[in-house]
Every structure is written in C-alpha cells, then in structure tokens.
Amino acid sequence: MKKILIIDDEVNVALLLSKFLTRNGFDVQTASNGTAGMECLKNGEFNLVLCDFRLEDTDGREILKNIKMYYPKTGVIIITGYSDIKMAVELIKMGAYDYITKPLYPDEILNTINKAIETQYALLEDMQDTGPVSSVKSKESKKHAQNGEFVFGTSRASKEIIRQIDLVAPTNYSVIIVGDSGTGKEAVAKSIHMSSPRHNQPFVAMDCGSLTKELAASEFFGHEKGSFTGALYTKIGHFEMANGGTLFLDEVGNLSYDIQAALLRTVQERKVKRIGSTKEIDLDVRIIVATNENLQESIQKGRFREDLYHRFNEFTIYMPPLRERGNDIMLLAEHFLVIANQELSRNVTSFSPEVVECFMSYRWPGNIRELKNIVRRATLLTEGNEIMMKALPLEISNRMMSFDYNSPATANNEVAEVKENRHDLKNAALEAEYETILRVLKEVNFNKTKAAEILKIDRKTLYNKMKAINLK
C-alpha cells in the first residue's frame, strides 16, 4: 500500500484529506507541524508528502529542502491557500512534483497524487539503472554505485577501497576518510551507509567547511523557537535528523575548537540538546568524517582536538587521487558520459583516441569531480557522436598541444629534470617508473603486449608512457 504523509496545521483540512485518501487505498499519516512531520519521515518510509506551505513552526520551502536532502526517494506536493506563479516555479526547481492551491478538488488532487507517485517510481528505477558501463559491471562495482555516482573501477586502488568498505560497513565503527578534494569521499561514505544495517535509516551529510562559528551549533544540535534573535521556528539539528542512521561530516578539520569541544561531548554521551531546550535526546548515530588535511599535523599545531580525533579514528580509508587510478579514468569517463547523455538528451557514444590519450596523461588536480564536469561540458559542446579535443577546456587541450611527445628534446629534458631532482619523492617515483618500463621491455624483446601484462597496465597506457620518455 502506498504511504502518504500529510503535514498541515489546519486540523480539519488534514482530517478530511486523510479520510478521502484512505478511502482511495492509501496508507495515510498526518502531522500538525514541520517538526512532527520530519519526525514521521525519520521513523518510516513514505512514497509522498503533501505539505502545507505555511506552517506554525516553518514553511513548505524548508520542509521540501530537508526532504530532498535526507529522503530523496520521497516525492513532495506543496499545498497553499494562494496562487503565486513565481513561488510555484521556485518550488518545482527545488524538487517539488507540483504546487496545488486551495480549495482542494478530490478528482484533481487524486490525479496529481497518482502521477506524482508514478513519477517517483520512474525516478527510482532510473537511479537503480544508472550504474557503471557494461564493461565494468562487476558485482562489487554495482553494489557500491549509489545515487548515480560511480567511484570504483578495476584498478588495484578501487578494489582495495571496496574491500575496506565491505570490511567496515557491517560494524558501528566511526570512520575517517582521507583524500584530496574531489576524490569521492562522500560517495564512499554513502556506500558504507548503504552496505550497513542502517541502510534504511537517514544518511545526513554536513559540509563543515561552509559553517560559520555562529551557525555551527544550531546546525549540529538544532534550536528551539525564540532561543536567540532570528530563531523564528524550531530547527532540528543534523545529529537529531541522522538519529538511527549515519552522519557524514565533510572537511571536519575546518571546525572551530569550541565546536569541537561541544561535538566531543555529544559523541561521548550519545545525547543531544537543542539550543534553548532542557530536554536531552538519546542518539544512535554512526559518524563518518572526511578530510583533505592531515589531522595529526593539525593536532600538533593545536588546531584539532586529539581526544576527538581518537573518537573518530576507529577505522581509516585513504582515497588516492584520480591520476593514481590508471584504467579507472576512462571507466569513470564513460560512466559520466552515460549520465550526461541522459541529463542533456544527447547521444554521444565515445571519446576520440586523442581525447583518451589526453585523459590518461592529464594530472587531474580536481580529481573525479573535475573529470565529471569536463565530460558533462564536452557532451554539451559535441555535435556528433564522438567527443573531440576541441570540446575540452583550453587548460587541458593547450597543455597537450604544447607538449610534443615525439620531440627528443622534450623527452630528454623531462628525464633530465627528473634525474636532477631525484631527491624529490614524486620525481624519484617517475624515474623508477621509467627504468622499470625500459627493463621489462628489454626482457620481452620489446613485445609491448607482454610488457603491458607484466606491468599490469593496458597497451594504451604503456604507449603513453613510452611516448613520454621517447621510447620507439
């Protein structure tokens, strides 16, 4: 039976609507304000929410934003007593299925509800079908592809991440995910949550890097209406919203020392108290944090509490940069191409050999996020069915055009620079890589297929590396 939640502070309207929908085969629950409505959503799954725009403690815009953030599988219809085209457009852009004005007509609202639920089912099927491209549809990859974000592939690094997720997911351990920006830390956190016994409970993500000191306490712990200037309604904090599920704190190293102290108390005592309230709420929350900083260095510099670090550090996962993930680059690119085609209604099917070579040799300072944006942009600019170099941003295409791999001077200069700076760890690694490739090629009499097998890379990657050191 399809479940509907009605959030309306007009008791008579909610009662009449509930009776009507119950007679038409729906399982209906009602809430008289936004706080009660979010509590209902936390305790049960609903296909659809009918929410009055004006509520005593909040408004429909805030409820819609929270539902889309924390319960994306649930559709939303906003009900209001007046018609405003500008507001209707804004709400639909935010993710509402529709915007209905009072008085409510039975046939009209029943038709709208049925269409909304059908649309939501279709979206969920699309989310389930949007996975890795066929060449990498392994059981592990499909299992960890969540919300259209494919972050794993066939590289050794990807397999190790999947192994660690499978190891830690069934536990209640707190996890620190360490990696550069754009490497997919939030997607890993979602995979841990979705593979855990908490997968039917909320996954709440919080960007600590964007929090001001003044707002942080309210965002973490919530507040009561009137508890401070500007507190116009009761707000549920992220800890309370994630109760029973997982709270993901991104860029946790950016939190102020004062907030770290309050956070430590909450984590230790497993209780939270809204600002302005005397009531303590018991918590059952798994915490996953992410950082692109070395938190141990931050501890030594007095920027991060050591006791809080040890509370979080029950398990650590390292996310390597995209440039260290080899063949995953093109697997990811192909996956993002599928998503971009769906989003833009295009039919781009492939990348030109020059683009593949470019992608495999580029350093990807923005990691997976940069790759996704570049593929999305290139799909929009491509008129045919193959992405060409001209569709790539200038900072990538110019770099490739300005570097002549066939020039002995260029290659020798690069090797000379590496040898000259052998005490630099990155250059030492490059020198070792060049020497290993040359040694293996000599051992197999320059049979590139055999060399690629021994080096555990594909032929295309081997060709690119041979070009870089002018090996013909």
Side-chain angles (χ1 to χ4, degrees):
M1 186 179 289
K2 299 177 183 69
K3 292 187 68 175
I4 294 178
L5 173 63
I6 300 170
I7 305 175
D8 198 324
D9 52 13
E10 293 186 41
V11 178
N12 291 336
V13 173
L15 184 61
L16 289 171
L17 196 52
S18 174
K19 287 183 177 179
F20 169 71
L21 294 175
T22 301
R23 286 199 304 269
N24 282 275
F26 295 100
D27 181 1
V28 183
Q29 194 169 338
T30 63
S32 59
N33 56 52
T35 303
M38 296 308 296
E39 190 69 26
C40 291
L41 283 162
K42 187 175 69 175
N43 294 328
E45 291 188 12
F46 292 87
N47 301 96
L48 187 68
V49 172
L50 302 178
C51 182
D52 191 20
F53 185 77
R54 293 187 182 277
L55 298 166
E56 63 178 23
D57 60 344
T58 184
D59 61 31
R61 188 187 290 107
E62 188 70 19
I63 293 291
L64 173 61
K65 184 173 73 173
N66 286 333
I67 291 173
K68 288 298 153 187
M69 183 182 297
Y70 305 128
Y71 309 100
K73 296 180 181 180
T74 303
V76 182
I77 294 174
I78 300 294
I79 301 172
T80 185
Y82 63 97
S83 179
D84 184 334
I85 298 300
K86 185 178 178 181
M87 185 180 293
V89 171
E90 180 190 352
L91 290 169
I92 288 170
K93 281 184 177 179
M94 288 175 64
Y97 174 77
D98 209 342
Y99 178 96
I100 301 174
T101 56
K102 296 175 183 178
L104 305 177
Y105 297 99
D107 291 342
E108 177 189 350
I109 195 164
L110 187 60
N111 185 46
T112 304
I113 286 171
N114 285 326
K115 285 183 177 179
I117 290 175
E118 287 175 13
T119 301
Q120 199 66 16
Y121 276 145
L123 287 172
L124 290 174
E125 286 177 5
D126 286 344
M127 284 173 64
Q128 292 167 358
D129 291 341
T130 303
V133 291
S134 57
S135 60
V136 290
K137 279 189 176 178
S138 66
K139 180 180 178 182
E140 293 81 6
S141 296
K142 287 195 290 183
K143 178 179 174 182
H144 296 288
Q146 301 295 337
N147 301 322
E149 274 204 76
F150 178 62
V151 290
F152 305 107
T154 59
S155 70
R156 183 179 300 176
S158 287
K159 290 176 180 177
E160 176 58 20
I161 293 168
I162 292 171
R163 187 189 71 80
Q164 292 184 18
I165 290 173
D166 288 339
L167 189 65
V168 78
T171 73
N172 275 321
Y173 283 8
S174 296
V175 180
I176 297 180
I177 305 173
V178 183
D180 295 343
S181 295
T183 49
K185 297 189 289 293
E186 183 170 349
V188 168
K190 287 180 182 175
S191 291
I192 293 171
H193 173 74
M194 295 304 294
S195 301
S196 76
R198 299 173 180 263
H199 65 275
N200 287 325
Q201 298 299 319
F203 174 88
V204 179
M206 189 173 180
D207 181 7
C208 300
S210 64
L211 285 178
T212 64
K213 184 178 178 180
E214 293 73 21
L215 284 176
S218 176
E219 291 295 316
F220 273 119
F221 314 121
H223 62 252
E224 295 292 340
K225 181 179 180 180
S227 57
F228 54 86
T229 303
L232 302 177
Y233 53 85
T234 298
K235 178 182 178 64
I236 298 175
H238 284 67
F239 267 104
E240 193 176 345
M241 189 66 69
N243 210 356
T246 302
L247 178 61
F248 172 64
L249 305 179
D250 197 11
E251 302 309 340
V252 71
N254 291 329
L255 291 173
S256 70
Y257 214 77
D258 292 343
I259 292 299
Q260 290 177 36
L263 192 58
L264 176 64
R265 285 196 299 273
T266 302
V267 173
Q268 284 177 333
E269 297 170 9
R270 295 291 169 175
K271 294 180 184 293
V272 68
K273 186 164 60 177
R274 296 179 195 162
I275 298 171
S277 173
T278 58
K279 179 185 176 183
E280 287 191 330
I281 300 166
D282 291 332
L283 288 179
D284 174 24
V285 177
R286 180 183 198 166
I287 298 176
I288 301 175
V289 305
T291 180
N292 58 13
E293 299 179 30
N294 185 326
L295 291 182
Q296 291 180 318
E297 286 184 6
S298 297
I299 291 169
Q300 293 172 359
K301 294 175 181 177
R303 295 201 307 262
F304 200 84
R305 294 183 64 106
E306 185 173 8
D307 45 8
L308 183 60
Y309 171 77
H310 290 303
R311 283 285 176 181
F312 290 153
N313 192 32
E314 293 182 313
F315 194 88
T316 302
I317 294 177
Y318 169 69
M319 294 296 295
L322 182 58
R323 61 181 174 271
E324 294 180 6
R325 291 177 57 174
N327 294 338
D328 290 355
I329 293 171
M330 288 315 301
L331 299 180
L332 286 159
E334 290 169 12
H335 173 69
F336 293 140
L337 178 59
V338 171
I339 294 175
N341 277 326
Q342 292 174 347
E343 179 186 349
L344 302 171
S345 299
R346 295 297 182 94
N347 190 31
V348 182
T349 58
S350 61
F351 301 88
S352 72
E354 294 79 14
V355 170
V356 173
E357 182 177 344
C358 175
F359 279 9
M360 293 300 293
S361 59
Y362 183 56
R363 296 290 292 171
W364 297 110
N367 294 295
I368 295 172
R369 188 180 297 123
E370 182 184 13
L371 174 60
K372 182 177 182 179
N373 290 339
I374 285 174
V375 171
R376 191 166 174 255
R377 175 187 183 274
T379 306
L380 179 64
L381 295 175
T382 297
E383 296 177 358
N385 59 8
E386 186 177 60
I387 291 178
M388 311 296 287
M389 286 293 292
K390 64 181 180 180
L392 301 186
L394 290 175
E395 64 265 23
I396 297 181
S397 55
N398 285 350
R399 179 184 179 280
M400 292 301 296
M401 288 184 225
S402 64
F403 193 90
D404 182 4
Y405 285 110
N406 293 319
S407 165
T410 300
N412 292 335
N413 285 343
E414 183 179 347
V415 174
E417 183 182 348
V418 168
K419 290 182 177 178
E420 188 175 302
N421 297 293
R422 66 175 68 241
H423 295 300
D424 180 273
L425 190 59
K426 193 175 292 183
N427 286 326
L430 285 172
E431 183 181 1
E433 182 177 86
Y434 295 154
E435 291 173 355
T436 301
I437 290 172
L438 186 57
R439 175 175 53 78
V440 171
L441 283 167
K442 286 180 179 178
E443 287 175 358
V444 296
N445 197 25
F446 286 85
N447 183 319
K448 288 179 281 295
T449 300
K450 287 184 179 179
E453 289 176 1
I454 293 171
L455 293 165
K456 292 185 170 56
I457 57 177
D458 61 19
R459 282 170 57 91
K460 187 69 180 177
T461 303
L462 178 60
Y463 280 126
N464 290 337
K465 292 182 180 295
M466 289 174 65
K467 282 183 179 180
I469 55 175
N470 199 31
L471 278 175
K472 298 181 180 178

